[in-house]
Amino acid sequence: MNYALFIQKVQEYTGLANQEDAAKVTQAVLETMSERLSRTHREHLAAQLPGELKSYLPRRQHMVYLLLEEFYERVGNRADVSYQNAVKYATAVARVLREAIAPGELGDILSGFPEEYNELFGREPVSPLSPSSVRR
């Protein structure tokens, strides 16, 4: 999937008004994901992304262990959006990632996330008290 199509799908799934906002949200989500991934998983993800998106995965020495709630908060802070919108936008970007990444690679990348992140990638929440279910 090329960059233009990736951003177009993010815009479509989020309902954002323009591609600039969709790109901003995509950057916020991918930067936050890169904090949570090991170097190997980050490299695998970068290999599956269009060149323009690879820069959104900054190199980090160490992985940060973020709870899913912290992940959404960081996305919200980076994108300058509410917590509810951070959940919505992160889920939309993850949906586009599921479409853009080869299934085998996606499974490998997802193995780098704790079980509570399953809901981010379109799976059933681990708990009824999941960060995406609780209103803030």
Side-chain angles (χ1 to χ4, degrees), residues 12-135:
E12 176 186 333
Y13 296 156
T14 58
L16 288 165
N18 58 61
Q19 291 193 343
E20 292 78 21
D21 289 343
K24 179 180 175 181
V25 164
T26 299
Q27 181 173 2
V29 172
L30 290 178
E31 284 180 354
T32 307
M33 278 187 181
S34 77
E35 291 179 333
R36 184 57 191 88
L37 290 171
S38 68
R39 183 177 58 101
T40 301
H41 287 122
R42 194 172 50 252
E43 289 171 357
H44 288 191
L45 177 57
Q48 297 285 312
L49 294 175
E52 299 90 339
L53 296 179
K54 291 178 187 191
S55 66
Y56 295 169
L57 299 170
R59 295 181 183 180
R60 302 199 180 281
Q61 292 294 343
H62 303 287
M63 177 175 61
V64 178
Y65 291 93
L66 299 173
L67 297 172
L68 184 57
E69 181 177 12
E70 294 171 305
F71 176 88
Y72 291 138
E73 287 173 355
R74 287 185 186 206
V75 168
N77 288 336
R78 283 190 166 112
D80 195 27
V81 298
S82 70
Y83 184 88
Q84 287 88 2
N85 281 336
V87 171
K88 176 183 174 182
Y89 299 161
T91 303
V93 171
R95 180 178 172 188
V96 179
L97 287 172
R98 288 194 319 269
E99 295 173 11
I101 296 174
E105 274 303 320
L106 182 62
D108 183 48
I109 293 164
L110 293 180
S111 72
F113 289 98
E115 186 180 11
E116 75 171 329
Y117 278 73
N118 285 348
E119 67 185 70
L120 175 63
F121 293 96
R123 298 183 182 142
E124 201 59 34
V126 176
S127 162
L129 297 177
S130 76
S132 62
S133 301
V134 177
R135 302 216 53 85

